[in-house]
Amino acid sequence: MVEKQQRAELEALRKASLSLTSSLELETVFEAILEHALKLIQADDAHIFLFDGERLSFGAAMWADGTRGEPYAEPRRDGLTYSVARSGEQIVVPDMRSHPLYETTDWEGSILGLPLRIGKRVLGVMTIAFERLHDFTEDELRVLELFADQAAVAVENARLFERTTHERRNQQLLIDITRELSSTLNRDDILQRAIELTVESLGGMHGGVVIPDPQNGRLSLQSLTGHAGLTVREMDAELQLRIGEGLIGWVAKHREAVRVPDLQSDPRWVISSPRDQFVRSGLMAPILSGSELLGVISVFHAEPDAFEDSHLDLLVAISRQLSLAMKNVERYEQVERQLAEFALLQQMGQVFNQRLEMQPLLDEVVYQVSEVLGYPVVNVDLIEEDELVIKATRGTGHQPTEQEVRMPIDRGVVGRVVRTNRPALVSDVREDPDYVALSPDTLSELAVPLRKREEVIGVLNVESQELNGFDADDLRLLSLLADQVSIALENAALYDRLRQHSTNLEHTVAERTAALAKALDRSREADRMKTQFVSDVSHELRTPLSNILLYLDLLRQGRSERFSTYLETLERETERLINLIEDLLAFSRLDAGTMPVNTSHLNLNDMARNLVEDRKRLFAEREIELRFEPSESLPLVRGDERMLTQVFANLMTNAMHYTPAGGRVSMASRSVQEDDEDWVILMVEDTGLGIPMQEQEKLFTRFFRGSASRKMGNPGTGLGLAICKEILD
């Protein structure tokens, strides 16, 4: 009998373990732990709390009968839960009425507190309670202790997964921001895009970027987001920020990032604009390039303590990327000026080299150096951002792989040439600490800088399989050659830029011309549809209003025995008017973004069944059969029941209007699986007129009404299906 019970316990633990490891979502893990804990000993409720070494935080709660009670979310400092967390040992309370931990309470029943431990570290506490007295057996305590160990591992894995997911999301965000910032070389565009992405990513209300003016100590606002209707210049005039004054000025002076939970209580915060009194929390980080202050980026929120330390870390990382982007803009502007000057000089007195395309030029360089001058291995490396990229190579020995083609400029002999702007002659590469082996046979190396004026743009590198393979003559010869190669590279670069600019310009002109033509067509179509819409709305408003006035007059002058008929008509016309106005208001809310979405778990069969039942009499009056064909065991979905009801009510009304007497309208549900995901489908089908193929692409366009609706004289404004589409979007 004992063995049978132990096998049952082990089997229950095995199933519980499988359930706990089936998901890495912390909420799902909590639910699985509590569900199995209640099943193991048939308890009434169970709670989970997480412990950070000092404080307990509520995790989840569950009740045995499936009802949702009020969770005990704030454990007492001198109570059972904290005692278990601090001691790391389980506490059994067979009778709360006589236990010292419950002297100050009027609770009755039994409770067990179990530590969730990884080794000696307590990461949480699980409590299992009975509303009646319960004598915990040794078997129950043993099973629950084993289960608590499994639960601790599952919680730890879920928290690690959550932390990893959060870090991966932040890394992806930095990648996305870096990509966005590198898409333009206009400083104003970079700063504006940076603050927009930052405020959106950190969940802020508004924010801005200021840059310092060392001449007068001012901090000028350069970009702004979250202040509708207010320009950067207007906001800058209000703020009048200076280095060392106010919180942003403090960050600029001390070069330190700060997170302020409550700005209004921070002595450094200075209200310099009427809008500042509504700001409660903020993040600020300096934008630094080495020791140089490039600016300060700030994000604010109207709620206190709206940001966490992780948000500040992310803002600091974003500020570093912004610093790189701003410095790249500076470099780009310098290069642009130099290219312009060089182009002018070239136009005045020089002719283009024979090779004007970059790659053919580079291939020619390595060919001449290798075949004519006789150097066995030749590479031309060019700088792209912070890396050296091998653009052309020739000779015997090792050919670089995809990974070896790119090298940071802080590595290798060629990197040292770039950093020092001086040639490097290495007689024995084995004795040079900077050497990075691309070819195992190389014993000596010679690298000279390729310059555009005084700026190094790359390296001409040759290697030999002999010790002392190069001497001073080789160095002098390659240095002279490098000057000629540098001039040719400048010419080729300029030619490539001009050709690319011309191609891009032609492409841009063609695209914009086509876009303007499409925009004109759309504008004309929109004007026509809006004109038709005004006409339809006027008609739709006029008809019920005229009927309302008529039947109001009949109420005053007609026969009293007809009053109920008059009131029914008034009610019907008023309802028609309300529906029209509701459609117009729905679009207004959709356009303004003020239509709230309140999602919950829904059974679409129940929702559809209610819609069908509510409309059976109306369909029967029109002699239209109304069916509902539900799919059994339909899974729950998350959605806004009010909005979905509006969508399918509109679809059913449309089906009724365009289905003649004797026809059929069907609503059906089913579940499908696509791309390893479960989906629920709810559809409305009718035996009506159908929709011509040429009108189907405009079906969900605002104000559009099909030809059938006008021929049949059905009321409408062309808004119903558009509302459905926009709600679902």
Side-chain angles (χ1 to χ4, degrees), residues 552-571:
L552 285 173
D553 188 61
L554 287 173
L555 282 174
R556 288 192 295 269
Q557 302 178 22
R559 292 177 295 173
S560 58
E561 64 270 17
R562 300 281 294 171
F563 279 6
S564 61
T565 303
Y566 301 157
L567 288 174
E568 288 179 1
T569 304
L570 283 170
E571 185 178 359

Side-chain angles (χ1 to χ4, degrees), residues 494-636:
L494 178 62
Y495 175 78
D496 282 348
R497 287 179 57 81
L498 291 174
R499 184 178 61 180
Q500 186 63 39
H501 178 72
S502 176
T503 302
N504 290 343
L505 184 60
E506 291 176 2
H507 183 65
T508 301
V509 169
E511 282 186 340
R512 291 185 179 176
T513 301
L516 286 172
K518 290 181 180 178
L520 180 59
D521 291 340
R522 287 195 299 268
S523 177
R524 288 171 177 168
E525 178 64 14
D527 286 341
R528 185 194 67 77
M529 293 179 67
K530 287 181 180 179
T531 301
Q532 184 64 52
F533 169 76
V534 171
S535 174
D536 289 342
V537 169
S538 299
H539 175 73
E540 292 297 320
L541 288 171
R542 188 181 301 113
T543 300
L545 285 174
S546 298
N547 289 337
I548 289 170
L549 290 173
L550 172 62
Y551 281 90
L552 285 173
D553 188 61
L554 287 173
L555 282 174
R556 288 192 295 269
Q557 302 178 22
R559 292 177 295 173
S560 58
E561 64 270 17
R562 300 281 294 171
F563 279 6
S564 61
T565 303
Y566 301 157
L567 288 174
E568 288 179 1
T569 304
L570 283 170
E571 185 178 359
R572 184 175 63 253
E573 295 299 329
T574 302
E575 183 67 24
R576 179 178 173 184
L577 197 58
I578 288 172
N579 290 337
L580 174 61
I581 292 171
E582 280 299 322
D583 280 351
L584 297 174
L585 289 176
F587 263 112
S588 176
R589 290 191 290 267
L590 285 167
D591 285 341
T594 58
M595 181 175 282
V597 179
N598 300 310
T599 61
S600 62
H601 283 100
L602 305 176
N603 186 314
L604 289 188
N605 277 344
D606 291 345
M607 186 191 78
R609 190 174 289 108
N610 291 335
L611 284 168
V612 170
E613 289 299 324
D614 290 345
R615 286 157 178 76
K616 271 190 174 180
R617 184 180 60 83
L618 182 60
F619 276 71
E621 290 174 357
R622 293 173 174 257
E623 299 181 8
I624 300 172
E625 180 185 0
L626 180 59
R627 293 182 182 176
F628 177 44
E629 301 169 356
S631 173
E632 298 300 328
S633 303
L634 200 67
L636 298 181

Side-chain angles (χ1 to χ4, degrees), residues 30-51:
F30 280 161
E31 291 180 0
I33 291 171
L34 295 176
E35 180 181 358
H36 285 284
L38 292 175
K39 288 180 179 179
L40 284 173
I41 61 171
Q42 304 300 311
D44 293 314
D45 68 77
H47 288 62
I48 286 183
F49 301 84
L50 296 178
F51 187 57

Side-chain angles (χ1 to χ4, degrees), residues 285-302:
I287 304 169
L288 300 172
S289 177
S291 61
E292 179 186 3
L293 177 69
L294 302 181
V296 176
I297 182 169
S298 307
V299 180
F300 299 100
H301 202 284

